[in-house]
Amino acid sequence: MKLGARIFKTGIAVALALFLAALFHFPSPVFAGISAVFAMQPTIYRSYLSLIEQVQANVIGALFAIAAVLILGRDPLVVGLTLMVVIALCLKMRLESSTISVALVTVIAIMEYTDRQFIEFAAIRFLTIMFGIFAAFLVNLIFLPPKYEKKLYEKIRDETEAILKWIRLCQQQATDHHHLKDEIETLHEKMTKLEHLYLMYKEERTYFRRQRFQKSRKLVLYRQMIASADRALSVLKWLHRLENELGRLSDPFRHAIFLHLGSLVGYHEQMLLKFVHQAKPLPHHMWAEGIDRERGQLASMIYADGQPPSDYRLFSLLGAIIDYGDRLEHLDKLIDSFHHYHYDDELAKQLEKSAGGRS
């Protein structure tokens, strides 16, 4: 069983919320623990936004609960009606679902029957829940701040390597048609998750000007890495879809296609290692000249027999390959530019440390 950072922080936040509620002798400290669970967020920035939203939602929930009890009483139907009004208002304000959940907990906690003075009771319940929200924010701010860059690069590298592996198998005509179809769907789902991880990294905040410039360049770089992997996946899809058509091409034409693809795959792998200083930084023109030469040979062979290919879908494959190459050339330039202005080897050290820990 693996305990991640978020699980660990959730446990600390709940414990801190319960401790603070007990320290101030608040009755029913369990509400502080419940609100702490809902308030935990994956990034510091989201935790800050959640704090603002939950304060607003809880104030709304508390005001409506107090007004409902003073005007209509504590009947279960009144509680249900109040919940519906609060939900509608929160949705109108476009608040997150977890924020709405905490507001509903506030309404139920305040409208619970008690023998205390009602206003005093409502204030105590409101503060109890706010303790949980602030405890979650404090823990997310101090303990194990999330660092998504290493996870993002590793995911990009792993998904890219998986895609390139299948492209190589297609070159060798060693793939099973149905199995590759399932694998392409799986890779597409993983690319969608990769986009979500990129957004998590994008939301991480930097506090120094130099780091902000570096982070901005890295965002562009990782965006291009994901786009390059996506174009490689597009090529793989067309290789799978046109498997039979490729088999009917002339040997020189098919050989030219796979030769160019092999160069692009090697180029792509070199880019990933070059970014983390694990490969020799070869000059950009060495790759670009070879790719342009192969691309020209491939274009000249389309009309080698005086006629275009009989299946015009092959032009979609060739277009995807050309687009893939363009993306890689742009990625190469971005990496060179980044290394020129920022020699950042922290990611490489983290990867080496992680690899050493696994071995």
Side-chain angles (χ1 to χ4, degrees):
M1 183 176 63
K2 184 178 179 180
L3 294 178
R6 189 173 181 182
I7 297 175
F8 182 69
K9 290 193 294 185
T10 301
I12 294 178
V14 171
L16 178 61
L18 294 174
F19 172 77
L20 290 176
L23 182 66
F24 286 88
H25 304 289
F26 286 169
S28 302
V30 66
F31 289 110
I34 293 173
S35 61
V37 172
F38 284 114
M40 187 57 63
Q41 297 293 327
T43 65
I44 295 176
Y45 180 64
R46 285 197 179 188
S47 184
Y48 168 72
L49 294 180
S50 177
L51 174 66
I52 296 175
E53 287 188 354
Q54 287 174 349
V55 169
Q56 295 174 345
N58 279 293
V59 169
I60 292 172
L63 291 178
F64 274 89
I66 293 173
V69 171
L70 294 178
I71 298 173
L72 302 174
R74 301 186 182 90
D75 188 82
L77 292 177
V78 176
V79 176
L81 179 62
T82 306
L83 289 175
M84 287 188 286
V85 173
V86 171
I87 291 173
L89 187 57
C90 290
L91 290 175
K92 184 71 174 177
M93 296 174 64
R94 298 183 179 179
L95 301 180
E96 296 290 336
S97 57
S98 59
T99 302
I100 298 175
S101 299
V102 178
L104 300 183
V105 171
T106 303
V107 173
I108 296 173
I110 290 178
M111 297 187 73
E112 181 188 14
Y113 178 79
T114 179
D115 293 332
R116 286 172 172 267
Q117 289 288 334
F118 176 66
I119 299 299
E120 177 188 351
F121 170 78
I124 291 175
R125 282 291 168 89
F126 175 76
L127 291 175
T128 302
I129 293 173
M130 292 303 301
F131 269 12
I133 295 172
F134 279 104
F137 175 74
L138 185 64
V139 169
N140 208 35
L141 187 66
I142 297 176
F143 292 94
L144 299 175
K147 294 183 178 180
Y148 287 100
E149 183 180 4
K150 176 174 171 288
K151 294 180 182 178
L152 178 61
Y153 175 80
E154 289 179 336
K155 281 291 184 182
I156 292 175
R157 181 194 61 194
D158 293 344
E159 305 314 324
T160 301
E161 288 178 351
I163 295 169
L164 299 185
K165 176 192 71 175
W166 283 105
I167 291 178
R168 281 200 173 97
L169 288 174
C170 288
Q171 289 178 265
Q172 301 166 7
Q173 297 181 335
T175 59
D176 177 76
H177 186 82
H178 297 291
H179 183 73
L180 179 55
K181 180 181 178 182
D182 295 337
E183 190 65 26
I184 289 175
E185 292 178 357
T186 302
L187 289 170
H188 181 72
E189 293 174 359
K190 290 181 178 180
M191 290 298 295
T192 302
K193 294 179 181 178
L194 186 57
E195 294 280 354
H196 178 71
L197 188 58
Y198 173 81
L199 292 177
M200 295 292 102
Y201 172 66
K202 186 177 181 180
E203 289 179 355
E204 281 188 337
R205 284 297 180 261
T206 52
Y207 303 101
F208 300 100
R209 185 177 180 181
R210 181 177 175 275
Q211 290 180 339
R212 284 200 297 270
F213 286 130
Q214 185 177 1
K215 174 69 175 291
S216 299
R217 287 180 174 269
K218 281 187 175 182
L219 284 172
V220 176
L221 255 176
Y222 287 128
R223 179 76 268 170
Q224 187 65 22
M225 285 185 184
I226 295 173
S228 299
D230 186 66
R231 294 307 183 274
L233 181 57
S234 178
V235 171
L236 179 61
K237 290 177 182 177
W238 280 110
L239 289 174
H240 171 259
R241 188 177 301 177
L242 302 178
E243 179 181 359
N244 295 328
E245 288 75 4
L246 286 170
R248 291 194 291 267
L249 291 176
S250 63
D251 290 340
F253 193 13
R254 185 171 61 252
H255 178 71
I257 291 175
F258 287 139
L259 178 65
H260 186 49
L261 263 179
S263 298
L264 294 179
V265 166
Y267 190 23
H268 201 164
E269 291 173 332
Q270 200 260 355
M271 288 302 98
L272 293 176
L273 295 175
K274 178 181 177 180
F275 174 62
V276 291
H277 308 287
Q278 294 179 354
K280 185 179 179 180
L282 298 175
H284 169 73
H285 67 85
M286 291 183 60
W287 285 100
E289 290 175 359
I291 289 174
D292 287 341
R293 183 174 58 253
E294 292 174 359
R295 188 181 294 170
Q297 293 173 353
L298 187 60
S300 65
M301 295 187 70
I302 295 177
Y303 293 92
D305 300 327
Q307 296 291 333
S310 57
D311 195 326
Y312 285 93
R313 290 182 299 170
L314 285 170
F315 286 105
S316 297
L317 171 61
L318 297 176
I321 293 174
I322 293 172
D323 188 24
Y324 177 38
D326 289 341
R327 291 285 181 174
L328 292 180
E329 289 189 50
H330 186 49
L331 176 61
D332 193 5
K333 293 177 181 178
L334 289 175
I335 292 175
D336 286 341
S337 176
F338 179 79
H339 285 171
H340 178 73
Y341 292 101
H342 311 280
Y343 186 82
D344 179 25
D345 60 349
E346 182 180 352
L347 177 60
K349 292 178 180 178
Q350 291 179 2
L351 294 171
E352 291 176 1
K353 183 178 179 181
S354 178
R358 286 196 296 267
S359 62

